[in-house]
Amino acid sequence: MIETLYVNRPLENGEQFYKWAKSQRFTHILDPKDFHVTIAYSKKKVDWSKLVPQKNNINIKGGERVIKPLGNEGAVVLKFESNILTKRWKQIIDAGGSWDWESYQPHITISYNGSKLDLNKVEIYDQPIILGPEEFKKLDENWEEKLKKD
């Protein structure tokens, strides 16, 4: 299939992550089943046959982690390091995928309405980040509009 491509890995320990976010006084936290890491967001059509979805889980421990705003709309994310995810992103780009940003930085969105929280007072999530198998989907460029309806 040659189509746009969105690839993500769901956060398998989303309940634990949610409890941490709640303890840090975040509001409007994503539902635990919606936590994920995006690997590909290609508006350019890609030959999916060149990219076999990876079915293994990934367990990320340690490494540098920071809480930062993402964009100007109030989104707050946990950014972290992962050579595995960065290499996979590069494989997708090398297979013809596009990426609209300057670089790739793995992250998990905590809230789309977290701009009022003093992020300097947030304790970094230091537990393992357990990511499930890759999910491949056709890109939905209107995903933000769906958020506003919720």
Side-chain angles (χ1 to χ4, degrees):
M1 175 163 71
I2 299 176
E3 191 53 77
T4 60
L5 179 62
Y6 173 73
V7 179
N8 79 85
R9 282 184 176 263
L11 182 63
E12 295 290 308
N13 54 336
E15 289 287 342
Q16 180 185 38
F17 191 77
Y18 181 90
K19 287 177 186 173
W20 162 82
K22 196 87 167 153
S23 77
Q24 298 304 308
R25 298 179 302 286
F26 278 97
T27 58
H28 301 92
I29 304 166
L30 271 66
D31 188 284
K33 68 178 175 28
D34 292 332
F35 291 128
H36 67 278
V37 174
T38 299
I39 301 167
Y41 191 91
S42 180
K43 294 177 184 177
K44 183 179 170 188
K45 292 183 178 183
V46 179
D47 184 350
W48 288 25
S49 68
K50 294 181 180 179
L51 300 162
V52 177
Q54 296 182 352
K55 300 186 184 300
N56 62 312
N57 281 7
I58 298 174
N59 190 343
I60 300 166
K61 297 178 183 176
E64 185 177 343
R65 298 179 183 188
V66 295
I67 305 291
K68 293 280 186 190
L70 186 68
N72 300 319
E73 303 288 321
V76 176
V77 302
L78 170 70
K79 292 183 176 186
F80 60 94
E81 296 175 340
S82 171
N83 289 334
I84 293 170
L85 295 174
T86 302
K87 285 178 186 175
R88 181 61 169 162
W89 167 81
K90 178 125 174 49
Q91 286 176 342
I92 294 169
I93 297 302
D94 290 346
S98 65
W99 189 254
D100 288 352
W101 300 274
E102 288 183 29
S103 62
Y104 178 72
Q105 172 68 62
H107 66 270
I108 300 168
T109 301
I110 302 164
S111 172
Y112 287 104
N113 192 7
S115 59
K116 294 180 182 167
L117 185 62
D118 183 353
L119 300 180
N120 293 318
K121 295 182 179 178
V122 174
E123 293 179 23
I124 299 297
Y125 180 76
D126 62 358
Q127 298 301 307
I129 296 170
I130 303 169
L131 301 173
E134 288 181 340
E135 298 177 348
F136 276 46
K137 299 176 188 168
K138 182 179 171 186
L139 185 64
D140 178 1
E141 292 188 57
N142 297 315
W143 66 272
E144 289 180 283
E145 289 301 317
K146 293 175 185 171
L147 282 178
K148 294 175 185 172
K149 293 177 183 175
D150 291 343

